[in-house]
Amino acid sequence: MELENFKTLEGRIQIKINIERSIFIATLQQVNSEEEAKTFVSEINKTYIDATHNCPAFRVITKSGIVEFSSDAGEPSGTAGLPMLNTLRKYGLLNVAVVVTRYFGGVKLGVRGLIDAYSLAVQRAIEEAENNNRIIVKRRAYKQKLKIDFLSYGKKMQQLSYIGVTILDISYTEEYAYLEVLHDKPLDLPEVESTEEVYV
């Protein structure tokens, strides 16, 4: 997926709102894969097993593109999952999952009321995250492994420092230094053994 950068959440945020005596709890979580998103959704389902509904939505970057998922989880079709997903889209958030838990308070909200309530719950969680500086921008970078022989070690380290490479780890053997580095562009050096695209 060729994204230079994207907006996401740092950690987890939870808010609670009361609409017509129904309690809505929105839990917003940073996730790094579809698998993590599904694990988070099932964790919330277990935590609020006694709730009337636990409605999930997520947007995750994968190798083949952005994967989006939402479910009404027993609410009338189109009244929960999609409005929640649309709110994540509106704020341009990726690698986030949200579950809105509802405890029914005895007053039916109707289709329009449900759409508004589920959208608002997610919006409030995002606003809470923004107010706490928990909405962050991740940029694309390249994590690379280098194998440098000691004859050229000093010169190579100078070169890496000059181009602003971040050194994450160094280990040594008798003849070589093994470096793990991070840079915003892939290094085109003969010492490079592997390259991995990451977001930091």
Side-chain angles (χ1 to χ4, degrees):
M1 184 67 202
E2 297 301 304
L3 280 174
E4 282 306 314
N5 53 51
F6 66 91
K7 268 200 314 184
T8 191
L9 170 78
E10 188 175 42
R12 179 181 288 195
I13 286 277
Q14 190 175 68
I15 60 100
K16 190 186 284 190
I17 55 174
N18 191 325
I19 298 171
E20 299 281 355
R21 298 211 299 268
S22 272
I23 304 289
F24 290 86
I25 303 163
T27 311
L28 193 63
Q29 170 83 26
Q30 178 187 13
V31 292
N32 294 311
S33 65
E34 217 177 327
E35 202 177 317
E36 270 186 40
K38 287 172 179 169
T39 303
F40 161 71
V41 170
S42 77
E43 179 209 320
I44 297 295
N45 280 334
K46 286 188 192 116
T47 305
Y48 299 104
I49 200 160
D50 60 335
T52 319
H53 303 279
N54 283 301
C55 303
F58 59 76
R59 302 184 77 216
V60 177
I61 300 167
T62 68
K63 291 256 187 291
S64 53
I66 294 167
V67 170
E68 296 185 322
F69 171 82
S70 67
S71 167
D72 297 309
E75 289 283 26
S77 180
T79 60
L82 194 56
M84 290 164 58
L85 183 60
N86 282 336
T87 307
L88 295 179
R89 285 175 182 153
K90 185 174 113 182
Y91 283 89
L93 294 176
L94 284 165
N95 281 9
V96 291
V98 63
V99 177
V100 175
T101 301
R102 181 188 183 194
Y103 287 92
F104 181 57
V107 178
K108 289 198 170 178
L109 300 180
V111 169
R112 182 74 250 171
L114 286 170
I115 290 169
D116 290 346
Y118 279 99
S119 302
L120 182 65
V122 177
Q123 186 181 320
R124 287 281 169 83
I126 295 168
E127 285 167 356
E128 180 71 14
E130 285 176 335
N131 293 339
N132 287 286
N133 298 316
R134 299 273 289 283
I135 299 293
I136 55 172
V137 175
K138 292 212 164 203
R139 61 179 178 80
R140 183 165 58 181
Y142 296 88
K143 193 193 278 188
Q144 293 182 287
K145 290 194 168 132
L146 280 68
K147 178 182 174 182
I148 302 171
D149 66 56
F150 284 128
L151 288 173
S152 55
Y153 179 74
K155 198 172 162 189
K156 280 290 172 202
M157 291 302 278
Q158 244 176 342
Q159 186 186 355
L160 293 174
S161 166
Y162 179 71
I163 56 178
V165 167
T166 303
I167 293 168
L168 303 173
D169 191 40
I170 306 184
S171 61
Y172 303 96
T173 63
E174 290 293 318
E175 295 166 52
Y176 295 99
Y178 292 90
L179 275 70
E180 191 173 65
V181 302
L182 193 68
H183 195 47
D184 53 6
K185 293 186 184 72
L187 301 172
D188 187 15
L189 298 170
E191 289 83 2
V192 171
E193 292 200 310
S194 70
T195 301
E196 183 193 353
E197 204 174 286
V198 293
Y199 286 95
V200 294

